[in-house]
Amino acid sequence: MAENTEGDLNSNLLHAPYHTGDPQLDTAIGQWLRWDKNPKTKEQIENLLRNGMNKELRDRLCCRMTFGTAGLRSAMGAGFCYINDLTVIQSTQGMYKYLERCFSDFKQRGFVVGYDTRGQVTSSCSSQRLAKLTAAVLLAKDVPVYLFSRYVPTPFVPYAVQKLKAVAGVMITASHNRKEDNGYKVYWETGAQITSPHDKEILKCIEECVEPWNGSWNDNLVDTSPLKRDPLQDICRRYMEDLKKICFYRELNLKTTLKFVHTSFHGVGHDYVQLAFKVFGFKPPIPVPEQKDPDPDFSTVKCPNPEEGESVLELSLRLAEKENARIVLATDPDADRLAAAELQENGSWKVFTGNELAALFGWWMFDCWKKNKSRNADVKNVYMLATTVSSKILKAIALKEGFHFEETLPGFKWIGSRIIDLLENGKEVLFAFEESIGFLCGTSVLDKDGVSAAVVVAEMASYLETMNITLKQQLVKVYEKYGYHISKTSYFLCYEPPTIKSIFERLRNFDSPKEYPKFCGTFAILHVRDITTGYDSSQPNKKSVLPVSKNSQMITFTFQNGCVATLRTSGTEPKIKYYAEMCASPDQSDTALLEEELKKLIDALIENFLQPSKNGLIWRSV
């Protein structure tokens, strides 16, 4: 009997108006419990309410996710600031409202939805389920939806948006983030990630449509609506066909004795990399059995990010040794990034950094262009791009070879939108990259693509093998010809936004108000560029050529000794990152000396500009 009374009490508690003493929170609780139809996330909020966990409720319900790098990314779970059924429905309603405003032919052209293999049992939240709900919201409004019938690499979504002439697309993924996270990544009709002002306008529309519409929860529409189409086979076939444009040595690939190991990090990459190898004429790469199939728990790695190097590549390196394979290729869980490692003569492994791989890609893509160009092709029409925190090696190659190099702000959304401008003006873009192992060979996709990058590395390695040259040896040749580019990237954690702000404000008012530093320790500074304020001392009008980005902190220092260093905040994590690169001329070949100089400069940068002990910064734990 007592049990029943308690049940009734709980039931009354959850259905009465909420009196937490915070009207904003009471409203938010009421909204959540009315709108959420996912039993598990609804129960999470009910449990917090039952246990009087008001602070936790406030954290979860009184703030909303904001659009970061081209979309939303957060932990999965209950609350308006998390990724879950309800927030994905709200986001898609906002998308619908905005797209309806932007495109009169929205209901003719449709929308693309893809997803990876993430999931969380405790909130019954999987990428596939969130993709179905995204589709349901639009189908209920009579929008044709191209929903992939199984998981795909992230690049397939922007590729499909372009090929199917859809108005936009969404990929449900958190890429290489920890297993708790998921995300909602948005592409515009061009096939590039959205940039400002679309992100802010979509966010406004989301806030105007927070109550689920009739039909928004009806995921049965995915099985019953005649407006739902599955683009999987068509897009896969066309993507693989387009890959042939960047395959230059198929005959060599057919004959190569090189063996490759590929790990897909428990994500989507396995099947698609296998297909890509077939297109290029290779035997299939050897998969890492424990990591080949999707696993939302990423059970064999501490973090599913191949950028972390040898520690997370352990299984693939051991397998390669056993199988006598010299090259290891690793795609991250949504297969838009690529890491590569090569076995050296002495039995150790060389794991290439993003900047080193880019030096090889830049050399390779230009070499292949030169050998295959038509008679009237003009090198002045050729472009390569990199984000501003990435290596300047492409700039050095461009200066010597006569093509154009351009920098963009960090993030592939900027690269994508710049490539569109260039293509519209009749230019040819061979390659683009960001240092965090994001590469784009050719322009079939307008986002980073680990599938195509993997097979291009394989072709490069098998071509070099015919001349008895390793990837590492070729990298040295590139540096000897164009100048050594030695870089180091790392970060500090800082959980106090005011501290981060004061660090950067101090640099803007260093010795006196509105004066940037002229020295860092003993190192003389030649130029300063501040993307946050739009200042650039190297320009005649002192204005930065790159767009101003007021919402993030970013200052670049060019030193007299050829070093370039950037300090910036992360868009998605509580980090201050530093990127430092020694850009030497080809006649400076003493690498030990260059490395020593770079190390001293980084020490000075940390000590003088970041002041970790004074500011309570936490060193990145390797």
Side-chain angles (χ1 to χ4, degrees):
M1 188 72 196
E3 249 177 55
N4 259 349
T5 320
E6 195 181 315
D8 291 346
L9 274 175
N10 276 336
S11 162
N12 291 339
L13 167 75
L14 297 174
H15 295 101
Y18 312 101
H19 300 295
T20 61
D22 178 340
Q24 186 197 5
L25 177 57
D26 293 343
T27 305
I29 293 168
Q31 287 174 334
W32 187 273
L33 295 178
R34 269 200 316 283
W35 296 342
D36 187 15
K37 291 190 179 173
N38 174 329
K40 290 201 171 172
T41 44
K42 191 170 186 172
E43 190 188 351
Q44 285 175 19
I45 297 300
E46 287 175 343
N47 283 338
L48 292 170
L49 188 58
R50 206 175 270 121
N51 295 317
M53 310 282 281
N54 288 1
K55 185 191 179 307
E56 173 87 1
L57 283 165
R58 202 169 289 115
D59 290 346
R60 283 172 177 261
L61 297 172
C62 291
C63 64
R64 177 168 291 289
M65 287 178 288
T66 56
F67 258 65
T69 311
L72 304 162
R73 206 178 272 187
S74 185
M76 291 177 273
F80 294 120
C81 65
Y82 286 120
I83 294 269
N84 50 62
D85 292 6
L86 179 55
T87 54
V88 161
I89 284 172
Q90 292 175 325
S91 303
T92 310
Q93 291 181 168
M95 284 288 295
Y96 170 81
K97 193 169 179 179
Y98 184 61
L99 293 170
E100 192 185 35
R101 211 164 72 199
C102 294
F103 298 100
S104 57
D105 54 357
F106 182 19
K107 290 189 177 173
Q108 282 76 55
R109 290 169 61 190
F111 189 92
V112 175
V113 183
Y115 54 91
D116 69 9
T117 54
R118 286 174 174 265
Q120 187 183 63
V121 178
T122 51
S123 53
S124 75
C125 210
S126 69
S127 294
Q128 185 176 20
R129 163 134 182 97
L130 299 175
K132 279 185 171 178
L133 286 168
T134 302
V137 171
L138 298 167
L139 291 168
K141 289 286 183 188
D142 300 321
V143 175
V145 175
Y146 297 96
L147 171 66
F148 284 97
S149 55
R150 77 191 287 254
Y151 54 80
V152 288
T154 289
F156 272 39
V157 171
Y159 182 79
V161 168
Q162 265 189 307
K163 292 292 174 195
L164 302 169
K165 299 187 168 44
V167 300
V170 157
M171 175 72 184
I172 308 289
T173 180
S175 190
H176 55 278
N177 273 36
R178 60 200 192 118
K179 67 179 181 187
E180 289 80 12
D181 291 357
N182 217 326
Y184 185 95
K185 193 171 190 180
V186 184
Y187 293 91
W188 202 240
E189 62 170 341
T190 53
Q193 295 175 35
I194 55 164
T195 53
S196 211
H198 298 311
D199 49 0
K200 290 177 186 60
E201 292 302 315
I202 292 167
L203 202 56
K204 261 190 232 165
C205 289
I206 293 171
E207 279 157 6
E208 288 162 18
C209 314
V210 287
E211 182 161 358
W213 301 329
N214 286 341
S216 284
W217 281 97
N218 183 9
D219 57 350
N220 288 338
L221 285 172
V222 166
D223 304 313
T224 58
S225 171
L227 292 172
K228 199 268 326 232
R229 289 153 210 174
D230 173 16
L232 181 67
Q233 281 180 315
D234 175 44
I235 290 303
C236 196
R237 181 184 53 75
R238 288 163 79 171
Y239 173 91
M240 295 300 163
E241 193 56 38
D242 267 343
L243 262 191
K244 292 176 183 172
K245 293 177 189 165
I246 52 173
C247 176
F248 301 100
Y249 294 95
R250 198 165 192 278
E251 294 305 308
L252 277 184
N253 301 342
L254 285 161
K255 297 196 290 263
T256 187
T257 55
L258 271 186
K259 286 159 89 178
F260 302 92
V261 160
H262 169 241
T263 173
S264 46
F265 264 80
H266 301 294
V268 305
H270 172 74
D271 296 341
Y272 303 98
V273 170
Q274 295 268 320
L275 282 172
F277 265 64
K278 196 174 172 184
V279 168
F280 267 55
F282 286 111
K283 290 188 183 77
I286 303 159
V288 176
E290 304 93 325
Q291 297 176 336
K292 171 175 83 74
D293 299 318
D295 170 12
D297 286 326
F298 304 112
S299 52
T300 66
V301 285
K302 204 163 68 175
C303 81
N305 184 357
E307 202 188 353
E308 296 290 329
E310 211 161 321
S311 59
V312 295
L313 295 172
E314 180 72 29
L315 284 174
S316 41
L317 302 181
R318 298 299 79 84
L319 178 65
E321 287 162 4
K322 198 174 111 203
E323 294 283 354
N324 208 9
R326 209 182 71 217
I327 310 278
V328 164
L329 300 164
T331 46
D332 70 339
D334 68 328
D336 66 346
R337 297 153 116 229
L338 176 81
E342 181 183 58
L343 188 61
Q344 304 303 296
E345 290 268 291
N346 64 3
S348 70
W349 283 91
K350 162 74 180 160
V351 181
F352 294 93
T353 66
N355 285 333
E356 289 171 335
L357 277 178
L360 287 166
F361 276 122
W363 157 74
W364 175 256
M365 293 305 287
F366 185 70
D367 195 63
C368 292
W369 177 84
K370 244 184 348 197
K371 288 174 181 165
N372 295 278
K373 69 179 195 288
S374 56
R375 269 222 321 276
N376 56 358
D378 183 359
V379 71
K380 292 187 174 60
N381 215 24
V382 169
Y383 281 73
M384 290 196 196
L385 292 88
T387 61
T388 181
V389 295
S390 304
S391 172
K392 310 288 179 254
I393 185 64
L394 298 184
K395 183 182 183 180
I397 300 174
L399 282 169
K400 200 154 190 163
E401 300 292 352
F403 63 87
H404 290 272
F405 167 72
E406 280 195 14
E407 278 189 341
T408 70
L409 288 178
F412 242 87
K413 61 180 179 180
W414 300 105
I415 287 179
S417 58
R418 182 59 188 142
I419 289 176
I420 291 158
D421 297 343
L422 291 168
L423 295 178
E424 282 171 355
N425 287 299
K427 307 300 182 194
E428 193 175 355
V429 181
L430 300 185
F431 174 64
F433 87 104
E434 59 183 3
E435 54 75 42
S436 53
I437 61 172
F439 309 105
L440 179 56
C441 302
T443 52
S444 293
V445 179
L446 293 177
D447 199 7
K448 54 188 180 287
D449 182 356
V451 177
S452 58
V455 76
V456 170
V457 169
E459 181 168 81
M460 191 194 312
S462 63
Y463 168 82
L464 290 168
E465 170 78 354
T466 62
M467 293 176 294
N468 222 5
I469 298 171
T470 65
L471 291 173
K472 169 125 185 262
Q473 287 164 342
Q474 180 57 34
L475 180 64
V476 171
K477 284 176 188 289
V478 172
Y479 287 151
E480 282 171 349
K481 184 171 180 182
Y482 302 108
Y484 274 90
H485 283 62
I486 298 166
S487 53
K488 175 136 172 53
T489 299
S490 194
Y491 59 80
F492 288 89
L493 292 166
C494 180
Y495 296 96
E496 303 296 329
T499 302
I500 292 178
K501 194 167 190 289
S502 75
I503 287 169
F504 283 89
E505 281 309 315
R506 176 175 164 264
L507 295 173
R508 295 183 181 109
N509 305 278
F510 201 69
D511 292 321
S512 49
K514 300 210 165 152
E515 286 287 326
Y516 291 87
K518 294 180 176 56
F519 281 86
C520 177
T522 57
F523 296 97
I525 294 167
L526 201 58
H527 295 300
V528 178
R529 182 182 63 200
D530 188 340
I531 294 294
T532 314
T533 63
Y535 171 79
D536 185 347
S537 68
S538 73
Q539 296 297 321
N541 62 358
K542 302 282 185 264
K543 282 188 169 48
S544 170
V545 181
L546 292 173
V548 176
S549 181
K550 287 189 178 131
N551 298 339
S552 59
Q553 301 281 357
M554 182 164 131
I555 304 178
T556 300
F557 302 94
T558 303
F559 292 88
Q560 243 157 11
N561 64 359
C563 190
V564 181
T566 296
L567 298 175
R568 72 179 276 249
T569 49
S570 163
T572 51
E573 298 156 303
K575 290 176 178 176
I576 302 178
K577 297 182 172 183
Y578 68 79
Y579 307 78
E581 181 172 46
M582 182 59 76
C583 308
S585 56
D587 56 3
Q588 293 176 277
S589 58
D590 187 338
T591 52
L593 203 68
L594 294 170
E595 281 172 0
E596 180 58 26
E597 180 88 342
L598 180 65
K599 186 186 177 306
K600 283 180 183 162
L601 192 138
I602 289 171
D603 290 345
L605 196 75
I606 291 168
E607 197 46 50
N608 294 285
F609 289 178
L610 294 178
Q611 302 179 303
S613 46
K614 182 184 164 199
N615 290 311
L617 307 182
I618 303 157
W619 284 84
R620 172 199 175 189
S621 60
V622 180

